[in-house]
Amino acid sequence: MSKVLKFGGTSVGSAGNMRMVADIVVAEGAAVTVLSAMSGTTNALVDIAALASTDPGSGKIGGQLDMLVKKYSGCIGELLRDSKQKALTRLDETIKLIRDEAAGYKGPYSERLILAQGELLTSYIFTLYMNERGHKAQLLNAPDLIHKDGEEKVDMDFLESRLKGLIGDKDTFYITQGFICTDHRGEMDNLGRGGSDYSAALIGGAINASQVQVWTDIDGMHNNDPRFVENTYPIPRMSFDEAAELAYFGAKILHPATIQPCKDRGIPVFLKNTMDPQAEGTMISEQEDNSRTFHAVAAKDGITVIRIYSARMLMAYGFLRKVFEIFEQHRTPIDMITTSEVAVSLTIDSDCHLDAIVEDLKDLGKIEIEKNNTIVCLVGNLEHQQRGLAETIMRGINGVPLKMISYGASHRSIAMLVETRHKKEVLQSLNDSLFSAGC
Ligand code: ASP
Ligand code: MG
């Protein structure tokens, strides 16, 4: 029974919360514990790096550093006794490193080094605390374990063999950082914002854990977004595929890449609430829940539609390949796609290469761009032979103008594109019509 537990920024966001985390780690007998940075840290570090890239002498950098010193020294003061001085020294060193790196900013490398400091410091403090409580705890350096290749792929064999040699002792609590890793040049890198979940899943996969637990400040994956919708509820069980769709399409509780390493090895993922450990939370596993038609809704903002009108598409083959190749060249994934005989509409969630993509697409036809859209993804047991299913869903959106629909790709989900200004309305009306009625 080897469990990997991951705690998010709020879970380790104060001395009081870190104590609760320690209780949970001990009660669960965690083999490996993966920690995010204390809440607010990574945002502050992102700001520092952004300021440093334009104006390394900016006074605002000092302001952010002061905020971090206050936050961490407050936590250390409250949490630690014998090892307080050790932690304060480490805090000083960390602040100095960030200040120096910002002053002599060297582009992306400096940014990644600065961003890594939150997880490094938080995990260091927590390990000292576990030791002070009388537990055997050992800090592992995640960048020594998680290595990415030039294609951003994590070397699972390396991770597996490294961990084998490192985590042998059953009585030791191994603590490590989420989010950070080493790139193919051997330099500090990360797995993207919110990537600590992915770190935990990779480690869980590598040690063939019995389960991966992702601890946040909400009682599991909800059927709809509680930030925008009233009367949501946690879903006790969901399948890997559903969780992957929901995470990808905006359910903030889980990083979208998390599912794969666990799905590959059949390792269940539990979403739990640090503030209410007794709450059931959500179990994500191979098991599918067929008791209800509609399981959950998620929404993803910042979506751009690209419409390509081309008479050359008419009865031609190979047209879509040319379109896809352009997106591939610009390393931009496509989320939704709909086609007619003379037009293709696609959506993307990253505008980084939009201008270059449009330039290339112009050779294929007339291009239109629409920004500020939201994909609303509904997952459930959407068997197509059910009479009236599409009608029920369309009624559920209650007249909100739909820009695109993707239905039929799987019997697990339907994706709908609306203007972002209609998001709240569509989420609430789907909740009222499809979920309160016990469908
Ligand atoms: N600290 C990082 C972030 O805020 C990674 C994480 O929390 O998962 O994005
Ligand atoms: Mg997170």
Side-chain angles (χ1 to χ4, degrees):
M1 283 290 283
S2 53
K3 297 178 185 174
V4 174
L5 271 61
K6 178 260 163 176
F7 293 87
T10 315
S11 299
V12 289
S14 66
N17 287 3
M18 281 203 199
R19 286 191 193 102
M20 295 201 285
V21 168
D23 290 342
I24 295 167
V25 165
V26 174
E28 293 288 335
V32 183
T33 301
V34 178
L35 301 181
S36 289
M38 288 180 83
S39 50
T41 310
T42 312
N43 286 343
L45 296 172
V46 167
D47 281 352
I48 291 171
L51 287 164
S53 72
T54 50
D55 175 14
S58 166
K60 290 187 190 147
I61 293 177
Q64 293 282 19
L65 288 173
D66 289 347
M67 185 278 283
L68 289 174
V69 169
K70 210 165 146 221
K71 187 185 195 75
Y72 280 85
S73 57
C75 170
I76 292 168
E78 223 184 290
L79 191 68
L80 300 175
R81 290 197 307 176
D82 301 346
S83 41
K84 187 184 293 183
Q85 202 42 56
K86 228 172 147 186
L88 288 173
T89 305
R90 175 64 185 259
L91 171 61
D92 277 353
E93 288 164 5
T94 302
I95 297 297
K96 183 175 179 319
L97 185 152
I98 300 170
R99 187 177 289 122
D100 291 350
E101 203 59 41
Y105 195 77
K106 295 182 282 296
Y109 169 74
S110 296
E111 185 197 20
R112 290 176 198 144
L113 196 63
I114 291 171
L115 258 54
Q117 299 310 313
E119 267 73 11
L120 287 167
L121 189 55
T122 304
S123 57
Y124 183 79
I125 295 169
F126 184 76
T127 309
L128 290 178
Y129 175 59
M130 286 290 284
N131 284 322
E132 271 199 15
R133 275 179 55 148
H135 302 295
K136 266 166 86 183
Q138 192 183 322
L139 186 60
L140 304 176
N141 188 39
D144 292 341
L145 310 173
I146 301 181
H147 284 187
K148 286 199 299 198
D149 64 17
E151 314 260 76
E152 302 282 294
K153 230 176 106 288
V154 170
D155 186 341
M156 283 304 277
D157 293 337
F158 178 77
L159 177 59
E160 211 176 310
S161 69
R162 289 289 298 187
L163 281 169
K164 245 191 209 122
L166 283 172
I167 64 162
D169 181 13
K170 292 262 173 301
D171 300 325
T172 299
F173 293 101
Y174 295 96
I175 320 284
T176 191
Q177 308 83 27
F179 182 53
I180 57 177
C181 62
T182 299
D183 73 6
H184 66 287
R185 289 176 296 257
E187 289 173 355
M188 182 67 85
D189 201 356
N190 61 62
L191 301 168
R193 293 303 306 270
S196 296
D197 298 345
Y198 187 36
S199 309
L202 291 167
I203 292 170
I207 66 167
N208 211 2
S210 57
Q211 50 180 265
V212 170
Q213 301 179 359
V214 175
W215 291 78
T216 64
D217 54 354
I218 177 167
D219 51 354
M221 180 94 84
H222 277 226
N223 72 306
N224 205 323
D225 194 328
R227 293 169 304 170
F228 304 107
V229 175
E230 284 166 20
N231 299 326
T232 66
Y233 50 83
I235 310 168
R237 254 168 286 284
M238 71 169 61
S239 67
F240 284 121
D241 289 348
E242 282 181 339
E245 298 255 17
L246 290 171
Y248 185 71
F249 285 119
K252 285 278 176 301
I253 187 168
L254 198 64
H255 187 279
T258 312
I259 307 299
Q260 205 56 45
C262 293
K263 184 182 171 187
D264 288 347
R265 292 163 184 80
I267 302 168
V269 178
F270 290 79
L271 308 181
K272 299 280 289 176
N273 187 356
T274 306
M275 316 306 150
D276 184 6
Q278 300 313 320
E280 187 180 358
T282 299
M283 179 179 93
I284 303 166
S285 70
E286 255 139 21
Q287 243 177 15
E288 294 192 341
D289 173 9
N290 292 326
S291 64
R292 291 175 64 106
T293 308
F294 302 110
H295 293 169
V297 182
K300 185 178 185 180
D301 295 336
I303 304 293
T304 298
V305 182
I306 302 173
R307 299 190 195 278
I308 309 155
Y309 296 92
S310 176
R312 278 162 55 193
M313 230 183 118
L314 204 63
M315 304 183 48
Y317 47 80
F319 184 84
L320 282 177
R321 180 177 51 77
K322 290 185 194 127
V323 172
F324 288 147
E325 268 172 5
I326 291 171
F327 285 83
E328 194 180 335
Q329 273 156 23
H330 296 288
R331 295 174 142 243
T332 301
I334 295 166
D335 284 335
M336 278 176 80
I337 172 162
T338 58
T339 63
S340 82
E341 208 35 69
V342 290
V344 187
S345 290
L346 306 148
T347 71
I348 56 174
D349 67 357
S350 156
D351 286 355
C352 290
H353 305 295
L354 183 61
D355 294 344
I357 290 171
V358 170
E359 222 19 70
D360 289 353
L361 285 173
K362 275 185 186 155
D363 296 340
L364 299 178
K366 186 169 139 302
I367 312 299
E368 269 175 24
I369 303 294
E370 293 160 23
K371 295 193 177 188
N372 299 324
N373 297 290
T374 294
I375 293 178
V376 174
C377 174
L378 173 65
V379 304
N381 192 19
L382 310 181
E383 293 295 343
H384 303 140
Q385 56 273 44
Q386 284 180 64
R387 284 187 83 85
L389 180 65
E391 186 190 350
T392 307
I393 297 168
M394 290 305 114
R395 275 184 206 278
I397 65 169
N398 198 21
V400 168
L402 265 189
K403 298 181 87 170
M404 281 171 72
I405 313 175
S406 177
Y407 179 65
S410 83
H411 56 263
R412 284 281 155 206
S413 72
I414 171 170
M416 297 171 276
L417 190 80
V418 299
E419 284 180 36
T420 301
R421 65 194 166 105
H422 297 309
K423 168 171 102 168
K424 203 168 169 227
E425 183 189 351
V426 81
L427 289 179
Q428 188 67 61
S429 86
L430 283 170
N431 212 53
D432 295 345
S433 58
L434 304 185
F435 293 88
S436 331
C439 297

